[in-house]
Amino acid sequence: MKPSLSILKIGGNVIENKAELSQFLTLFSKLEGFKILVHGGGKLATEIGKKMGIESKMVGGRRITDEQSLEVITMVYAGLTNKRVVAELQARNCNAIGLSGADGNTIQAHKRPVKDIDYGFAGDVDGVNEGLLSHLLTLGLTPVFCAMTHDGKGQLLNTNADTIASEVAIGLGERYETTLYYCFEKNGVLKDVSDDRSVIQHIDTATYNELLEQGIIADGMLPKMANCFHALNNGVTKVCIGNMAMLTQNEKLYTTITL
């Protein structure tokens, strides 16, 4: 029987709220078994960039990563945010190690090809070094990934944190019974976006197609759900979407996604 592994992606709304982040990291540190954390930090990168006179450029909710933006993102994601999270986990007796995809060659990617939009130094993942990650886990370390990868030729790349979480989960799926958690501010996937209690508690492939047809899954939830099913179709056991309460034993109000 394969050992269990929990991979959690934490949204910016939690990362940037000290009280919520503290609460989340306490819950995360108490999770049993092997675990990996993936985080972004876009809002803070935008704020710090503004102080430096560097305006963020967004198209359809996605960041255009030019050379100046990449410098800010590297400082904030791989530096300030990542090390704050690692230090907080150490304070909770969780032996965390902060990583970007370049560290230990853990995640290689390529620069996204230009089609309709040039996203600049944005990375699409090619592969995950599952051997090294598995070794770190067996050493008792908890990897904490920021949303950055590299191309193997010296270039750092800004990479979607949801995608990193799903690709790491896929990479480790053969070795571990893997559950992927997307932790954000909502209770889960909602039937009605104005009603936080209208959580759809289970979604499988048939349900997903129905929800797409009805337009219930739309906008920002579309890429998140695409990552979920990409992970499930490539060896991940299940995916859960909800707020941090889903990490507790007594909370049943969140969305579980399976094939």
Side-chain angles (χ1 to χ4, degrees):
M1 190 175 170
K2 293 190 283 190
S4 65
L5 169 66
S6 300
I7 296 177
L8 285 91
K9 186 268 175 173
I10 183 174
N13 288 347
V14 178
I15 279 281
E16 282 133 21
N17 182 314
K18 281 188 177 179
E20 285 196 19
L21 179 59
S22 177
Q23 190 182 349
F24 169 81
L25 293 176
T26 297
L27 289 171
F28 178 79
S29 67
K30 290 176 180 175
L31 281 178
E32 293 182 3
F34 298 115
K35 55 200 173 194
I36 294 173
L37 180 60
V38 181
H39 68 81
K43 189 176 173 187
L44 185 58
T46 300
E47 287 173 7
I48 289 176
K50 199 173 283 186
K51 287 176 185 174
M52 297 168 68
I54 300 164
E55 288 293 328
S56 294
K57 303 177 192 78
M58 308 288 281
V59 174
R62 289 180 180 267
R63 187 183 294 271
I64 305 295
T65 310
D66 59 20
E67 216 164 312
Q68 282 188 314
S69 298
L70 185 66
E71 289 181 358
V72 175
I73 285 164
T74 305
M75 286 188 284
V76 176
Y77 290 8
L80 185 60
T81 301
N82 190 264
K83 297 315 161 197
R84 274 180 177 168
V85 170
V86 168
E88 289 282 354
L89 285 172
Q90 294 294 355
R92 290 162 174 78
N93 297 314
C94 176
N95 196 6
I97 180 168
L99 298 170
S100 72
D103 296 299
N105 190 30
T106 45
I107 308 172
Q108 269 206 32
H110 61 271
K111 187 173 178 287
R112 185 173 300 153
V114 178
K115 292 180 183 173
D116 298 333
I117 299 162
D118 183 357
Y119 286 101
F121 294 102
D124 292 328
V125 174
D126 293 321
V128 172
N129 186 345
E130 69 272 12
L132 177 64
L133 284 176
S134 185
H135 185 56
L136 292 174
L137 291 168
T138 55
L139 286 173
L141 292 165
T142 296
V144 177
F145 276 103
C146 67
M148 298 199 73
T149 58
H150 76 129
D151 68 355
K153 301 169 188 173
Q155 180 63 59
L156 289 167
L157 297 164
N158 178 20
T159 303
N160 181 274
D162 283 359
T163 302
I164 285 179
S166 69
E167 292 294 345
V168 169
I170 289 165
L172 290 162
E174 280 190 26
R175 297 174 186 241
Y176 298 91
E177 194 79 17
T178 308
T179 302
L180 175 59
Y181 294 87
Y182 284 117
C183 188
F184 69 153
E185 71 278 6
K186 299 289 185 184
N187 290 335
V189 181
L190 305 177
K191 279 184 185 172
D192 177 359
V193 290
S194 63
D195 180 5
D196 280 344
R197 304 295 294 177
S198 65
V199 174
I200 303 164
Q201 290 188 285
H202 182 247
I203 297 173
D204 58 19
T205 307
T207 316
Y208 175 55
N209 290 328
E210 287 171 18
L211 294 168
L212 280 175
E213 281 178 25
Q214 294 164 12
I216 290 170
I217 291 175
D219 304 324
M221 191 53 74
L222 286 169
K224 195 177 286 291
M225 292 297 292
N227 274 318
C228 293
F229 278 97
H230 174 59
L232 291 167
N233 282 307
N234 286 279
V236 174
T237 309
K238 68 176 176 178
V239 183
C240 300
I241 297 179
N243 63 27
M244 71 179 81
M246 70 180 163
L247 304 182
T248 65
Q249 293 298 315
N250 54 5
E251 180 55 67
K252 304 292 183 219
L253 195 64
Y254 59 90
T255 303
T256 300
I257 304 164
T258 59
L259 289 176

